[in-house]
């Protein structure tokens, strides 16, 4: 099973600051099979990125994704008030195996 | 516009079977472009994929749940269902249904239901 480790657990930042979230895999992940989601309290997750770096429909360009192999990053260039939430990475691999990271909470400092 | 809506038993007694249905509107579950998954989230915790079904009826399950899970599809009603047997308190969670993209494999999930909380308790 591919384990996804997200860091940090919590990121305390102010609106307007840059957020950098990490997702590290225990084995190589095909980039086209790596996605990121945003979840707000009481809501279902919302797809942000797929294929590691492709923004989903209606996702603003302050969100960007990068990485390959075992290390992936989600960057929010300038935090807006609505961006404070929990973020999850997810991978699909063979077996099949589909796993999520443990999540990073971005909170207002 | 695609919508997914979960329904089913909200309170299940230990050792019994949890049953949920996801009604899909705005897109046919028979489309070959998508797969259909169940994902759960225990209160205050992260996401866990349960399994998926393709329109052909092909299924795949999380190895940790495989012995207790059955996912089925009803093309005539445009819905798919989840059964989880021998439940315990550890199965208490919000259960989501979601559409997978990637053809017959769920590389990622672009539409989710609103989720339904299922509590396992006597």
């Amino acid at each position: 099973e591919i384990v996804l480790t997200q860091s940090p657990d919590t990121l305390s930042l102010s609106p307007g600051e840059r957020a950098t979230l990490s997702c590290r895999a225990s084995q190589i992940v095909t980039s086209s099979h790596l996605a990121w989601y945003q979840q707000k309290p009481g809501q279902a997750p919302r797809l942000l990125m797929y294929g590691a770096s492709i923004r989903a429909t209606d996702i603003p360009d302050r969100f960007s994704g990068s990485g390959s192999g075992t290390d992936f990053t989600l960057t929010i260039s300038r935090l807006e008030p609505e961006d404070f939430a929990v973020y999850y990475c997810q991978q699909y691999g063979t077996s099949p195996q589909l796993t999520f990271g443990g999540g990073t909470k971005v909170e207002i400092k | 516009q695609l919508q997914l809506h979960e329904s089913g038993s909200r309170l299940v007694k230990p050792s019994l079977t949890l049953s949920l249905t996801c009604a899909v509107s705005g897109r046919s579950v028979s489309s070959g472009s998508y797969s259909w998954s169940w994902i759960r989230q225990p209160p205050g915790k992260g996401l866990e994929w349960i399994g998926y079904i393709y329109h052909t009826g092909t299924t795949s399950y999380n190895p940790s749940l495989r012995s207790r899970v059955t996912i089925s599809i009803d093309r005539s009603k445009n819905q798919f269902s989840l059964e989880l047997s021998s439940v315990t308190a550890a199965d208490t969670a919000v259960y989501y249904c979601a559409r997978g993209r990637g053809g017959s494999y769920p590389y990622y999930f672009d539409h989710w239901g609103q989720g339904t909380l299922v509590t396992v308790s006597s």
Side-chain angles (χ1 to χ4, degrees):
Chain A
E1 173 184 330
I2 296 179
V3 176
L4 298 178
T5 301
Q6 291 188 241
S7 62
D9 291 336
T10 303
L11 202 49
S12 299
L13 295 169
S14 301
E17 289 194 296
R18 181 185 188 89
T20 302
L21 287 67
S22 172
C23 176
R24 179 161 291 178
S26 60
Q27 302 172 44
I28 291 175
V29 172
T30 302
S31 294
S32 60
H33 301 171
L34 193 287
W36 290 91
Y37 302 86
Q38 176 193 69
Q39 187 178 34
K40 297 180 180 179
Q43 297 184 16
R46 172 195 181 196
L47 177 67
L48 292 177
M49 315 289 301
Y50 63 94
S53 61
I54 304 170
R55 275 187 299 276
T57 302
D58 295 330
I59 301 303
D61 60 7
R62 64 180 180 273
F63 289 91
S64 64
S66 63
S68 64
T70 60
D71 289 302
F72 298 87
T73 300
L74 175 70
T75 302
I76 310 171
S77 59
R78 292 176 63 247
L79 283 163
E80 297 288 340
E82 62 268 27
D83 300 336
F84 292 92
V86 179
Y87 293 83
Y88 294 96
C89 56
Q90 171 250 312
Q91 68 82 31
Y92 175 88
T94 56
S95 292
Q97 297 278 359
L98 194 155
T99 54
F100 291 89
T104 290
K105 181 180 181 180
V106 179
E107 65 176 21
I108 300 176
K109 186 176 182 179
Chain B
Q1 181 179 349
L2 177 67
Q3 291 189 327
L4 297 90
H5 182 74
E6 304 92 346
S7 63
S9 47
R10 305 291 179 93
L11 179 64
V12 183
K13 295 184 187 304
S15 81
L16 297 187
T17 297
L18 177 161
S19 297
L20 294 172
T21 294
C22 182
V24 179
S25 59
R27 187 72 69 184
S28 171
V29 297
S30 298
S31 170
S33 300
Y34 315 108
S35 59
W36 306 94
S37 278
W38 287 97
I39 296 158
R40 69 181 183 178
Q41 185 172 36
K45 297 188 177 180
L47 300 162
E48 180 181 36
W49 171 70
I50 299 170
Y52 76 85
I53 190 164
Y54 191 51
H55 75 95
T56 57
T58 299
T59 55
S60 183
Y61 303 132
N62 185 322
S64 68
L65 299 170
R66 183 177 293 143
S67 63
R68 299 194 291 131
V69 174
T70 301
I71 296 177
S72 58
I73 195 165
D74 187 334
R75 298 171 198 78
S76 65
K77 295 182 178 179
N78 213 42
Q79 63 187 33
F80 61 106
S81 298
L82 168 70
E83 289 193 339
L84 181 65
S85 64
S86 304
V87 297
T88 69
D91 295 310
T92 294
V94 175
Y95 285 76
Y96 296 100
C97 56
R99 185 178 80 170
R101 297 296 301 272
S104 54
Y105 306 107
Y107 293 161
Y108 58 92
F109 304 104
D110 65 346
H111 283 86
W112 298 61
Q114 83 282 3
T116 187
L117 175 63
V118 179
T119 301
V120 178
S121 175
S122 55

